[in-house]
Amino acid sequence: MFNKKTIRDVPLEGRRALVRVDFNVPLKDGRVTDDTRIRASLPTIRYLIEHKAALIVCSHLGRPKGKVVPEMSLKPAADRLAELLGTEVAFVPDTVGPMARAAAEALRPGGVLVLENTRFAPQETDNDPAFAAQLASLAELYVNDAFGSAHRAHASTEGVARHLPGVAGFLMESELTYLGKALQNPEHPFVAILGGAKISDKIGVVESLLRTADHLLVGGGMANTFLAARGLQMGDSLVEADSVSTAADLLNRSGTKLALPRDAVVAQTMEAGASHRNVAVEDVPQGWRILDIGPGTIKSFTESVRGAKLIVWNGPMGVFELPPFDEGTSAIARAVAASGATTIVGGGDSIAAVKQAGVIDKISHISTGGGASLEFLEGKVLPGVAALQDKPA
Ligand code: ADP
Ligand code: MG
């Protein structure tokens, strides 16, 4: 259950708040090309402004590896934030030095300052205590709204909370509320759908969902490794040889909960429009590869989805970037959207797929967390969450 204090639970007026957001956005020529993550932070930022806190916003962007990399500056994100808010947003090319300090001190209630990329300092990912203390000393309150970074114990996600009272922002709260439902208190039938390229990324989550879900539908590239573990020939399909024995073990333990594709769309090349056929998974020809789930699988997966009360989906059912191999993923996206269940979709490619299928507005919760969502669903403690203050019992 979500039991952390949020920005609703603490006094804000006149206080300086260090706000950790996820502004890890794509940039091109000094402009933000996709501002989804910045928009996702607006409810928290607006609330803090309205309640007259002074906001010192920080984030990482990319992997500059402890060096100043001008192409990974947060300046474009600060500019985009200013456009979205329609107010002035200050920016300093500094995180804990004298410039950052002076700018933080100059902030008035309701003012917004964005600091430079936290990962320009090597101490960020080392969770260096002195660096965390310096960062914390800019403010009187810590607000963490960067769910997507909460699985990492870095200075700006964990270390600072040792020096400041830490509370959750609204994005953090909503991620933990929805994902917490799936982990601890699912409505039944609970159907989990997993796909995507690699099984090795998602073994922990398969294990955990096998405990909590009623049905686990597996498609996409990761299904191939399970099918190979059943002794089937996969032709040129993506199979992770290192994970075949783990997959066999999971199959043995999963009973009838875990459903695999019964048929597939195969082609000889991985290209848009490649000539293709439908085959039973037992009949993948040599030299051909699985690029999507087949019509029989779509039908059976759709039926499982139809009666669900809760659906968690991570990972496309096929190579949805290359039509017509997007059909399985689109069909599942439409079925999920029409199910009437509480629906949670996570993963960068899966979010792109529901967008492409035109049903993103019909999903209850889009989880922007990626790795953090998977670790949370595995039942791991996220250090960035653990560091926040608990609500009084
Ligand atoms: P997400 O980003 O939603 O977590 P992943 O990154 O795990 O998803 O997987 C998405 C990728 O999986 C896509 O690029 C897609 O093309 C690929 N994929 C899905 N099915 C297959 C398949 N049968 N063979 C190869 N790649 C696949
Ligand atoms: Mg991906």
Side-chain angles (χ1 to χ4, degrees):
M1 277 296 91
F2 182 72
N3 66 339
K4 294 295 177 182
K5 281 193 190 170
T6 74
I7 48 180
R8 281 188 217 89
D9 301 317
V10 288
L12 297 170
E13 189 168 340
R15 291 176 93 192
R16 268 182 249 280
L18 180 71
V19 189
R20 178 46 157 109
V21 293
D22 178 8
F23 282 1
N24 184 23
V25 291
L27 300 175
K28 190 158 189 274
D29 305 326
R31 301 272 309 167
V32 174
T33 55
D34 180 349
D35 64 5
T36 309
R37 286 178 169 161
I38 301 177
R39 286 175 187 275
S41 74
L42 291 177
T44 294
I45 291 179
R46 287 207 175 105
Y47 183 91
L48 293 169
I49 294 172
E50 277 161 24
H51 289 78
K52 302 201 170 56
L55 287 73
I56 302 157
V57 175
C58 68
S59 175
H60 78 278
L61 192 157
R63 298 192 170 172
K65 307 216 167 120
K67 293 200 190 69
V68 175
V69 178
E71 299 75 48
M72 295 184 192
S73 171
L74 271 180
K75 175 79 167 52
D79 292 343
R80 186 71 192 122
L81 176 64
E83 285 168 16
L84 290 169
L85 288 174
T87 60
E88 211 174 293
V89 169
F91 172 80
V92 274
D94 186 14
T95 44
V96 298
M99 260 194 289
R101 186 159 304 278
E105 274 163 19
L107 266 185
R108 314 220 156 195
V112 184
L113 165 69
V114 176
L115 302 178
E116 185 52 286
N117 192 341
T118 51
R119 287 194 190 165
F120 283 1
Q123 299 94 323
E124 160 73 339
T125 52
D126 294 344
N127 200 2
D128 179 80
F131 180 79
Q134 280 178 306
L135 192 57
S137 73
L138 298 176
E140 287 123 27
L141 174 70
Y142 173 60
V143 177
N144 191 347
D145 214 20
F147 176 75
S149 301
H151 58 317
R152 314 240 185 257
H154 292 170
S156 70
T157 61
E158 197 271 345
V160 288
R162 297 174 192 221
H163 304 279
L164 286 175
V167 301
F170 296 138
L171 179 61
M172 176 72 91
E173 180 187 34
S174 105
E175 290 274 12
L176 293 172
T177 303
Y178 274 101
L179 296 173
K181 237 187 217 189
L183 187 70
Q184 284 159 338
N185 186 20
E187 299 153 271
H188 296 277
F190 170 18
V191 176
I193 310 168
L194 287 180
K198 285 164 65 185
I199 183 176
S200 48
D201 296 344
K202 297 182 184 175
I203 286 167
V205 113
V206 172
E207 299 247 11
S208 162
L209 290 171
L210 280 173
R211 284 192 295 275
T212 52
D214 301 294
H215 301 284
L216 179 54
L217 316 177
V218 178
M222 70 183 278
N224 303 342
T225 302
F226 280 108
L227 293 168
R230 267 179 39 194
L232 302 183
Q233 293 304 319
M234 290 287 100
D236 286 349
S237 303
L238 176 75
V239 171
E240 280 180 273
D242 290 351
S243 297
V244 172
S245 65
T246 310
D249 173 54
L250 286 169
L251 280 178
N252 279 333
R253 290 191 284 129
S254 64
T256 56
K257 261 193 187 182
L258 195 153
L260 290 172
R262 58 174 77 163
D263 58 356
V265 181
V266 296
Q268 286 172 296
T269 54
M270 194 157 111
E271 279 167 43
S275 87
H276 54 277
R277 20 171 153 139
N278 299 328
V279 296
V281 290
E282 290 79 10
D283 301 326
V284 177
Q286 282 239 325
W288 292 64
R289 63 185 74 202
I290 296 179
L291 295 179
D292 198 4
I293 53 174
T297 307
I298 292 177
K299 190 156 176 279
S300 75
F301 282 11
T302 304
E303 272 161 24
S304 300
V305 160
R306 203 169 286 142
K309 282 281 185 345
L310 174 66
I311 300 171
V312 171
W313 181 15
N314 176 288
M317 297 290 99
V319 184
F320 75 101
E321 302 95 327
L322 304 176
F325 308 108
D326 58 329
E327 280 177 19
T329 304
S330 297
I332 298 303
R334 288 192 297 272
V336 168
S339 64
T342 301
T343 50
I344 304 172
V345 175
D349 293 294
S350 309
I351 295 169
V354 293
K355 224 181 248 177
Q356 188 176 304
V359 296
I360 194 159
D361 294 336
K362 299 207 174 79
I363 304 299
S364 319
H365 180 68
I366 295 291
S367 179
T368 56
S373 319
L374 290 177
E375 289 198 19
F376 184 83
L377 287 175
E378 283 172 39
K380 289 190 187 158
V381 172
L382 307 184
V385 177
L388 302 179
Q389 293 194 323
D390 289 329
K391 269 193 178 136

